[in-house]
Amino acid sequence: MALVMSLLAACSSGGDASPETTATTPTVTTEADPTTTVAPTTTEAPTTTTTTTTIDSTTDAARVLAAEVEADFLETIRLTDEAFRDPANDEKVAAALAGYTAANRDFIQERLETFRSMNWVSTPNPSVAANVIIEEPARLIPPSSDVVKMQVCEIDSSVVMEPGAGPNGTDAIVDAELYTYRSVFFLRLVDGRWLAEGSDELGSWTGVQTCPDE
């Protein structure tokens, strides 16, 4: 189901100043032997190695963070799909809601309650597969260390049905429209899991199977 929400997380800007490292060349006051002459070159080498290692470490940490957020988010979407296909199943509903917090949790819970009360279920579209595409990897929102934002394109092709409500007891189609959304999601780290907290819709389209180029 579509998970697009209005902007619910405040972004703060900031930056870290990178200190500059100044190499100091030793002053020789006496005649140096060959070992002393090559000393400055030997001193500079560790500085270059340390800088490269720091950059690589920072890049790797960002990649690990993005992968962790993406894995948690996609698992939440999977569990949410299962809940909407069986909204009367308390265990599936609880599993889905566990992936959300704040306004997103309230929104999903209300939608699931509506489905249950109306006897609606979500079913896969046989012609168009639902999909969630991570367009921009998750990154921290400074100065926070537990809130990230991530740009997503969601193709919501699910068909909403009312079982047994059609002629001769057949299932009635409630909504078979194809919806596509581009959103920035905000997720918060809670007890080791990244939970969807809010989102900012950047665009929405009907009958389109992919998000248009920006």
Side-chain angles (χ1 to χ4, degrees):
M1 299 308 298
L3 308 178
V4 176
M5 295 286 294
S6 59
L7 180 61
L8 298 168
C11 300
S12 58
S13 60
D16 296 325
S18 300
E20 295 183 359
T21 302
T22 304
T24 302
T25 304
T27 301
V28 180
T29 56
T30 60
E31 184 178 347
D33 58 27
T35 303
T36 305
T37 302
V38 299
T41 302
T42 304
T43 303
E44 291 177 1
T47 302
T48 302
T49 302
T50 302
T51 302
T52 302
T53 302
T54 301
I55 294 174
D56 290 344
S57 177
T58 301
T59 302
D60 289 343
R63 289 173 179 169
V64 170
L65 170 70
E68 290 176 348
V69 174
E70 179 177 337
D72 284 352
F73 182 75
L74 293 179
E75 176 63 5
T76 292
I77 297 298
R78 185 188 70 80
L79 293 171
T80 302
D81 286 342
E82 289 191 0
F84 276 103
R85 290 171 187 168
D86 190 7
N89 188 311
D90 292 338
E91 291 185 2
K92 291 183 179 180
V93 168
L97 293 178
Y100 299 91
T101 187
N104 265 182
R105 181 184 174 92
D106 293 340
F107 175 74
I108 296 300
Q109 185 170 13
E110 289 174 3
R111 290 289 292 163
L112 284 167
E113 290 174 352
T114 297
F115 267 57
R116 181 181 296 203
S117 64
M118 299 297 293
N119 192 35
W120 293 347
V121 296
S122 172
T123 61
N125 189 316
S127 302
V128 181
N131 196 12
V132 175
I133 302 166
I134 308 299
E135 295 186 324
E136 294 183 7
R139 58 186 184 276
L140 289 170
I141 304 176
S144 172
S145 61
D146 61 354
V147 178
V148 298
K149 64 179 180 179
M150 176 176 66
Q151 184 169 310
V152 172
C153 173
E154 181 190 3
I155 295 87
D156 181 6
S157 60
S158 300
V159 178
V160 180
M161 309 282 291
E162 184 177 356
N168 301 318
T170 58
D171 297 342
I173 296 177
V174 177
D175 187 359
E177 194 65 80
L178 171 64
Y179 301 100
T180 301
Y181 304 92
R182 172 175 282 130
S183 308
V184 172
F185 271 87
F186 301 90
L187 299 96
R188 182 178 298 275
L189 184 62
V190 180
D191 296 331
R193 179 178 177 181
W194 291 96
L195 307 183
E197 182 175 79
S199 59
D200 182 10
E201 181 182 313
L202 303 179
S204 61
W205 302 269
T206 303
V208 178
Q209 298 184 25
T210 185
C211 290
D213 294 336
E214 295 183 278

